[in-house]
Amino acid sequence: MLSSRASLATRRLAFTPGFAQQTGWTCAQCRNAIPTVRNGGPSPLRTNSPTTRQYGNNTGSNGGRQHSNYGGRSKARRSAVLAATGGGAVAAAAAVGGSLLAFGDDVKATYEAMERTGRVAAALVLCINDYRTTLSRRDKVEDPEEKDMLLKACHKRCADRTLKVLEQSGGIFIKLGQHLSAMNYLLPSEWTTTFVPLQDKCPVSSFESIQAMFKADTGQDLWDYFSEFSPEPIGAASLAQVHMATIKETGQKVAVKVQHPALQKWAKLDMNLTSFTFSTLKRFFPEYDLEWLSSEVEVSLPQELNFECEAENSKRTQEYFGSLSRPLPLVIPDVLWAKKRILVMACETGKRLDDLKYMDSQGIDRDEVSATLARIFNEMIFGEGAPLHCDPHGGNIAIRKNDSRRRGPNFDIVLYDHGLYRDIPQDLRRSYAKMWLAVIDGDMEGMKKYVNEVAGIGEDKFPLFASAITGRDFSIVSAGNEGGVMKPKEASEQKTMSTALQEGLLVDLVQMLGQVPRIILLILKTNDLTRSLDESLHTKQGPVRQFLILARYCMRTVFHEQLDEIRQRGSLFWPPNAIRVFAAWLGFLRVELKLEAFELWLGAKRLLGYKNSGLEVTV
C-alpha cells in the first residue's frame, strides 16, 4: 500500500495468478474444470528490489552475491536486456511454429492464420536486429548517459512495433500486452508505459457480429429483447466489450457485456502461440523462466470466457459485503441474466479513479477514497469466507458522487468485471496476517518465520522478498523502531532500488517469483493495487493510514485465530480462558484505538483547513 509511480500499471494486470495447492475455485461451474497448479505464476506486485549491497557477503545470514559480481557480468546483463525487453519480440517467433495449428480445409482461415503469424514474425526480426545493433553501438560508447539514451530509444522503438502487432491481433495478444504493461519489476518503463493504452483502447467487434452471436447463443434476435441497443460500445477490453441497452419489456437501462465473437475462432491457436513464446524465451534465456505466463493463460482463460461464472461471483460478492456490520460504499452491478458469452447487468456508471478533477469538483476527499479502497480489498483478503477479486486494475474500478448518506463517505466505489475470483485458505490468511504485522513492527525474526510459512522463502532470498512485497528498500524495511515502512518514500530510495535492479537483481527476482505460490502473488497484487492507487490519488497522509488499516484487518484475523485456539481449551467463560480472551482483545484494541485516533486527527485537520503532513505512528 505504499505509493509508487510504477505500481500504477500493476493494478491493471490482466493475467491474474492461478492458485496454489490449497486454493479452491469460487465458481462452482469452473471449480473442477481446470487442474490445480501448485507453484509458479505471474508476479502481481510491484517489486522494486533492495540495493545490491544488501546481498553481498557482509549480509550475514541473508547470504547472496557481492555487489561487484553483478556489476562485472556484462554477458549476463546483455542477456537480461534482451530477455526483459523482448517479450513481444519473442512472441513473434512462437507464432511461426504455432500457426500451423490453424491450417485446415478452410482456406480463408489458413490465410488469416498465416497473416497473423507474419505480423508477429516480422516484429520479431525487427526487434532482435534492433537490439543487436543497439547493443553493439552501445559497447563502443563511453559516456554512461549516451549509453542509457541509446538503449532507451531502442526500447521505445521495439515497444511501439510490438504494440501495433498486439492491437492488430487482438484477443489473447491484447491480454499478453496488458500483462507486460504491469511487469514494471522486470521490463523497462519504455515497454510498460507503451503498453498501458491496451487497458482501455482494445479492438472493437462489429455490431453485426454481436447481433449474430446474440442470435446463436439465445435463439432470439437482439431486437426481440431490447428496444434500444447502442451500436457503439461504451468500453472495450481484450475479451469483451460493453454496450448500453434498454430492455423492451421493462424499459430498464442496462449494460450488456458481450464476448468478442472472434475469440472462439482464435483462442486455441493463440494459447499455443503464447505457450511456444515463453518456452522459446526460456531456451534462449534460461535465467528468465517465464513459462508460468503461458500456463496462466491455460488456467485463467476458460474461467474468464464463462460469463455465467462471472454472474455467480458477482452475486456472491454482493451478498458478502451486504452482510457486513459496518457497510462499505461498494456497488456491485446487479446481474439480470447471463449466458456463457453474454452478460446483462444493471447500469452502474462512474468516473475513473484517476479523474482527479471530477473528485475535486464534486467535493470528494481523495484521502477517504484511498482509505475506502484499502478497506474493501483488505476485507477481501482477510474477511472470513470473503471472495477475492483477481483483476482489480484501474479500468475495473469507478467512483461516483453519492450525497444520500447522512454519515460516511459522499461517494460510491463501483467494482466491475468479476470473472476471476479465488478463495484464500484460512491457515494461509492467518499466516499472511502475522507476516504483515511483523513487517509493520519491524520484527525481523517474525518476518523471516512467516515469509517462509507463507511463501516458502528461506533466509537467502528473504531480503529480496521483503523488499518486493513492501515496494521499499530493505534498509527501510529492516529499520524497525526507526519508522520502517511507515516512513514516506523519498526519491533517493526509488533511485537506489532502480539501480539495484539494473545491476543484476532481476535474475534473482525472476527465479524467486517462480517459486512463490500463485495465490500469494495474487494477494500481493491486491495489496499493491491499494498502494499504487494511493499515489495516483495524490493523497496527503503518506503511508501511515494505509498501514494502520492493514494492521487493523491483520489484528482482527489474529484475534479470531486466538479465539479459536482458546475455544479448543473449553468455554470462553472459564476464568483462565476468559483472561486469555481479554489479553487477545487488548492486542486488537491497541491497533483499533490507534487507527481511530489517527482518523480523528485527520478529520480535525480537514475541518480546520490544514493540509495533512507526515505523522509517525507505531503499531
Side-chain angles (χ1 to χ4, degrees):
M1 277 172 278
L2 304 171
S3 58
S4 168
R5 177 196 63 76
S7 294
L8 179 60
T10 307
R11 65 182 186 275
R12 295 171 172 159
L13 187 62
F15 288 101
T16 53
F19 45 92
Q21 179 178 4
Q22 309 97 329
T23 309
W25 288 93
T26 297
C27 176
Q29 296 167 308
C30 300
R31 187 172 289 119
N32 299 318
I34 303 173
T36 299
V37 180
R38 293 178 181 273
N39 286 305
S43 171
L45 59 154
R46 185 183 125 315
T47 52
N48 285 314
S49 299
T51 59
T52 52
R53 65 176 179 275
Q54 290 154 342
Y55 292 87
N57 291 338
N58 60 353
T59 55
S61 60
N62 291 333
R65 287 170 289 183
Q66 291 184 355
H67 177 82
S68 59
N69 290 339
Y70 287 116
R73 298 185 308 174
S74 60
K75 183 177 180 181
R77 288 203 305 273
R78 180 169 297 188
S79 294
V81 169
L82 287 173
T85 59
V90 176
V96 175
S99 64
L100 295 174
L101 296 170
F103 288 2
D105 295 333
D106 190 332
V107 176
K108 182 179 179 181
T110 301
Y111 175 79
E112 290 176 352
M114 293 176 66
E115 185 180 41
R116 197 178 190 86
T117 298
R119 284 197 299 264
V120 185
L124 167 71
V125 173
L126 289 172
C127 288
I128 288 182
N129 182 66
D130 199 345
Y131 272 110
R132 286 180 174 176
T133 303
T134 300
L135 290 173
S136 178
R137 289 179 56 197
R138 189 170 177 265
D139 289 341
K140 300 175 183 177
V141 175
E142 296 183 0
D143 183 19
E145 290 188 6
E146 187 177 350
K147 282 177 176 282
D148 188 53
M149 289 178 61
L150 283 172
L151 192 55
K152 285 180 178 293
C154 181
H155 291 333
K156 182 59 177 173
R157 289 192 301 271
C158 292
D160 287 337
R161 293 187 193 109
T162 307
L163 176 64
K164 292 178 181 179
V165 172
L166 298 178
E167 289 177 329
Q168 290 172 343
S169 300
I172 294 175
F173 289 108
I174 294 291
K175 276 291 202 183
L176 177 61
Q178 289 174 337
H179 185 52
L180 292 175
S181 75
M183 296 175 69
N184 43 67
Y185 48 92
L186 294 178
L187 298 178
S189 61
E190 289 78 15
W191 281 85
T192 57
T193 55
T194 298
F195 287 172
V196 165
L198 292 173
Q199 303 296 339
D200 304 304
K201 297 179 181 179
C202 297
V204 175
S205 296
S206 69
F207 182 54
E208 292 74 21
S209 67
I210 298 301
Q211 284 182 297
M213 186 180 72
F214 191 92
K215 177 77 171 180
D217 289 11
T218 67
Q220 298 184 70
D221 186 79
L222 189 73
W223 302 112
D224 292 338
Y225 187 77
F226 299 107
S227 60
E228 295 179 358
F229 194 98
S230 173
E232 296 295 327
I234 60 172
S238 57
L239 302 182
Q241 59 193 49
V242 179
H243 294 257
M244 299 298 296
T246 303
I247 298 177
K248 182 182 292 186
E249 185 176 343
T250 64
Q252 181 181 357
K253 297 285 186 181
V254 293
V256 184
K257 182 177 180 179
V258 291
Q259 197 173 115
H260 293 305
L263 278 177
Q264 198 170 47
K265 179 179 181 180
W266 296 113
K268 184 177 180 180
L269 169 63
D270 290 351
M271 282 193 288
N272 280 281
L273 295 179
T274 304
S275 177
F276 189 85
T277 295
F278 292 101
S279 64
T280 302
L281 178 64
K282 181 180 179 180
R283 285 197 299 271
F284 280 96
F285 308 105
E287 66 271 31
Y288 281 87
D289 183 2
L290 300 175
E291 280 194 296
W292 42 259
L293 186 55
S294 58
S295 299
E296 190 52 41
V297 175
E298 297 173 1
V299 171
S300 63
L301 191 64
Q303 189 182 11
E304 284 194 274
L305 295 179
N306 188 349
F307 291 174
E308 292 173 337
C309 192
E310 178 173 351
E312 183 178 325
N313 292 335
S314 178
K315 180 180 179 182
R316 181 184 169 195
T317 306
Q318 273 186 325
E319 292 174 349
Y320 178 84
F321 280 93
S323 67
L324 297 179
S325 58
R326 297 177 65 177
L328 293 167
L330 176 65
V331 175
I332 308 294
D334 292 324
V335 174
L336 279 66
W337 59 268
K339 295 287 186 180
K340 190 172 181 179
R341 297 193 293 175
I342 304 169
L343 182 68
V344 180
M345 52 192 164
C347 182
E348 302 286 358
T349 60
K351 298 291 186 178
R352 288 181 59 95
L353 282 172
D354 55 9
D355 192 343
L356 304 183
K357 290 183 179 179
Y358 168 77
M359 283 183 268
D360 293 343
S361 66
Q362 297 298 314
I364 296 175
D365 190 329
R366 292 186 236 154
D367 293 77
E368 291 306 310
V369 174
S370 177
T372 299
L373 289 169
R375 294 186 182 101
I376 289 171
F377 290 108
N378 277 307
E379 185 65 52
M380 286 184 170
I381 293 173
F382 297 106
E384 189 72 33
L388 179 62
H389 192 295
C390 295
D391 196 15
H393 60 72
N396 286 338
I397 307 173
I399 187 169
R400 68 186 185 195
K401 184 73 174 290
N402 186 346
D403 286 322
S404 63
R405 300 185 187 91
R406 292 186 177 181
R407 299 182 61 184
N410 64 341
F411 57 84
D412 290 326
I413 298 294
V414 186
L415 186 60
Y416 306 111
D417 197 352
H418 304 272
L420 284 173
Y421 270 73
R422 296 290 188 272
D423 289 318
I424 304 174
Q426 184 183 74
D427 291 345
L428 182 60
R429 188 190 323 116
R430 289 174 172 178
S431 294
Y432 184 71
K434 286 179 277 191
M435 182 195 77
W436 269 110
L437 288 174
V439 170
I440 295 171
D441 282 335
D443 177 5
M444 295 300 295
E445 292 306 313
M447 275 190 258
K448 292 177 183 178
K449 175 184 177 181
Y450 292 113
V451 162
N452 182 266
E453 197 170 297
V454 164
I457 299 296
E459 287 196 10
D460 58 332
K461 295 182 180 178
F462 161 72
L464 183 59
F465 185 80
S467 184
I469 65 173
T470 59
R472 305 297 298 269
D473 190 281
F474 185 67
S475 63
I476 302 297
V477 178
S478 58
N481 294 330
E482 298 177 11
V485 295
M486 305 283 273
K487 294 170 58 177
K489 182 185 290 186
E490 298 180 356
S492 58
E493 180 186 352
Q494 180 69 45
K495 183 178 180 179
T496 300
M497 293 160 64
S498 298
T499 301
L501 283 177
Q502 294 172 6
E503 293 184 352
L505 286 181
L506 279 175
V507 174
D508 288 346
L509 183 59
V510 171
Q511 293 175 351
M512 181 195 71
L513 294 176
Q515 300 171 9
V516 175
R518 295 183 178 184
I519 187 64
I520 295 301
L521 296 176
L522 174 67
I523 299 169
L524 292 174
K525 167 191 158 185
T526 304
N527 279 337
D528 195 56
L529 166 74
T530 54
R531 182 165 63 210
S532 59
L533 285 175
D534 186 60
E535 177 177 289
S536 67
L537 291 167
H538 297 288
T539 56
K540 305 169 185 175
Q541 75 271 339
V544 176
R545 192 180 191 187
Q546 297 290 321
F547 274 111
L548 283 175
I549 292 172
L550 170 62
R552 183 187 208 172
Y553 281 90
C554 291
M555 284 301 300
R556 187 186 72 177
T557 302
V558 172
F559 176 60
H560 289 163
E561 179 184 19
Q562 292 171 332
L563 290 181
D564 287 346
E565 292 174 350
I566 294 171
R567 287 191 185 97
Q568 294 176 4
R569 300 169 181 256
S571 172
L572 295 178
F573 298 102
W574 184 49
N577 284 348
I579 294 174
R580 295 186 183 97
V581 170
F582 182 70
W585 177 76
L586 284 179
F588 173 67
L589 185 63
R590 176 172 62 98
V591 175
E592 189 78 9
L593 291 177
K594 285 184 177 181
L595 180 58
E596 291 294 336
F598 188 71
E599 299 279 2
L600 289 173
W601 180 78
L602 291 177
K605 293 197 73 174
R606 283 194 296 272
L607 288 174
L608 295 173
Y610 289 106
K611 293 184 178 180
N612 293 330
S613 59
L615 178 68
E616 294 201 5
V617 180
T618 57
V619 177

